[in-house]
Amino acid sequence: MTTPARFIDVLRLKLGAAVQENISLAPYTSARIGGPADILVTVKSADEFADAIKVIWDYGMPYYILGGGSNLLVSDKGVRGVVVLDRAKDVRFESDDQPTVWSEAGVIFSNLANRCASKGFSGLEWAATVPGTVGGAVYGNAGAFGSDMSTNLIWADVLTKNGREKLSVEQMEYGYRTSALKRGEKHAIVLSAMLRLKNASSEEVSVKISEFSERRKSTQPPGASMGSMFKNPAGDHAGRLIEAAGLKGTRIGNAEISTKHGNFFINHGETKAEDVRALINLTQKTVREKFGVELELEVELVGEW
């Protein structure tokens, strides 16, 4: 696409060297897969984030928000328009009878959970093994071990076309791994969030985190992946269906359905997004034909396909 010169000038005036052109996105994704962004803008505060988005909106440019780079597959052709890489990482704790933590959207969620533990706050132990950022977790209602963001969120500071506002947990209209934002029912960018915690001792919280981490390690494969590929169908597990279909270990190019857990696709090096996409299609087709179940992607397909 042709990028208006004036748009680049305005972006650079506000954010300087944070604005780059034709940058590979593979290093910024957990799967280490993906082509280039026409423009990559790295923001380091919620205010910078808001400034960048306002310019993008003013010029009507297509854009994508990139946080921790998990739960997504970037196409080999890359992303047209602007990719905003959120590296806003300010965190503030409030300690009283009802402790809370305020976090900018670019904070790595698992790191935040461990910081809470070190201060003797519980409530986010489930998040210690969750990949991605706080912003992504708020947007997609991330969850693990029977909990999800809906249990912790008090409000999210978001940017809309009308300016900044706070959305309560009720206004997010959370469902399983989804929200009003993810479904496109509300148009807003998550800048920061206020989360509910509980008072505890750092020892008991750390023990619980260790238990969750060991459970995760025992069931999920190491290596570069996108996280869980498919949502669990009602009353079943995507990994069980994929295994029962005989697909574990199936490989296309350097992309493989993990032999340890069928709902994880592993990048064995220099993997093409098209190979992963072909493996996705094969899995959905096989499970549909064998069990009559339509597997729905949990991973988001990003870019030009």
Side-chain angles (χ1 to χ4, degrees):
M1 63 166 286
T2 302
T3 304
R6 174 70 179 149
F7 169 75
I8 292 281
D9 290 343
V10 173
L11 262 186
R12 287 202 165 117
L13 189 64
K14 285 186 173 291
L15 298 164
V19 181
Q20 300 172 280
E21 294 184 74
N22 197 34
I23 301 296
S24 171
L25 295 175
Y28 301 105
T29 71
S30 62
R32 301 293 181 259
I33 298 171
D38 289 342
I39 302 170
L40 180 68
V41 180
T42 305
V43 296
K44 295 186 177 179
S45 72
D47 290 340
E48 282 186 2
F49 196 1
D51 286 344
I53 293 296
K54 286 174 187 173
V55 175
I56 290 166
W57 283 349
D58 284 346
Y59 281 81
M61 294 292 290
Y63 67 94
Y64 183 79
I65 309 299
L66 185 60
S70 60
N71 298 112
L72 56 86
L73 178 64
V74 177
S75 74
D76 298 316
K77 295 177 183 176
V79 182
R80 306 289 71 82
V82 188
V83 172
V84 182
L85 182 63
D86 187 8
R87 292 292 185 261
K89 296 187 176 180
D90 197 13
V91 171
R92 292 199 292 268
F93 289 91
E94 289 291 335
S95 179
D96 51 30
D97 290 340
Q98 175 58 73
T100 58
V101 59
W102 172 85
S103 169
E104 288 187 314
V107 172
I108 300 300
F109 202 19
S110 58
N111 291 352
L112 181 64
N114 282 289
R115 287 181 68 176
C116 290
S118 70
K119 292 180 177 293
F121 297 129
S122 71
L124 281 183
E125 294 91 331
W126 63 269
T129 60
V130 172
T133 60
V134 169
V138 171
Y139 173 81
N141 193 23
F145 303 110
S147 292
D148 57 29
M149 182 54 78
S150 69
T151 63
N152 292 98
L153 184 71
I154 299 172
W155 50 256
D157 176 28
V158 302
L159 180 70
T160 72
K161 294 290 178 71
N162 297 320
R164 288 170 79 154
E165 61 181 88
K166 287 184 172 65
L167 293 182
S168 68
V169 65
E170 291 80 17
Q171 289 173 303
M172 293 295 291
E173 297 175 31
Y174 279 136
Y176 173 60
R177 304 293 183 267
T178 192
S179 70
L181 303 187
K182 189 171 183 178
R183 293 189 298 270
E185 296 161 6
K186 292 179 180 173
H187 299 282
I189 305 296
V190 178
L191 301 175
S192 67
M194 183 71 79
L195 306 180
R196 182 181 295 104
L197 303 173
K198 298 174 184 175
N199 287 308
S201 72
S202 58
E203 291 78 13
E204 62 181 301
V205 180
S206 295
V207 165
K208 199 168 183 182
I209 285 177
S210 295
E211 289 174 357
F212 284 158
S213 296
E214 285 305 312
R215 282 169 60 184
R216 183 59 62 96
K217 283 178 186 174
S218 69
T219 59
Q220 294 188 4
S225 78
M226 288 136 275
S228 296
M229 182 60 71
F230 300 102
K231 295 179 181 178
N232 286 327
D236 209 336
H237 292 89
R240 188 201 72 78
L241 288 165
I242 293 166
E243 180 173 0
L247 290 168
K248 284 172 72 172
T250 302
R251 187 162 174 158
I252 296 178
N254 276 339
E256 181 189 51
I257 299 176
S258 170
T259 56
K260 188 169 187 177
H261 192 309
N263 204 20
F264 285 76
F265 290 17
I266 306 301
N267 172 6
H268 285 293
E270 302 299 319
T271 299
K272 293 180 180 179
E274 284 296 340
D275 290 340
V276 179
R277 183 74 182 276
L279 210 49
I280 288 169
N281 293 340
L282 173 65
T283 302
Q284 289 175 316
K285 179 175 182 288
T286 305
V287 169
R288 184 190 312 118
E289 290 174 350
K290 291 201 172 207
F291 307 112
V293 176
E294 192 67 50
L295 288 179
E296 183 183 350
L297 279 175
E298 184 166 327
V299 166
E300 186 178 0
L301 301 180
V302 179
E304 187 179 2
W305 292 92

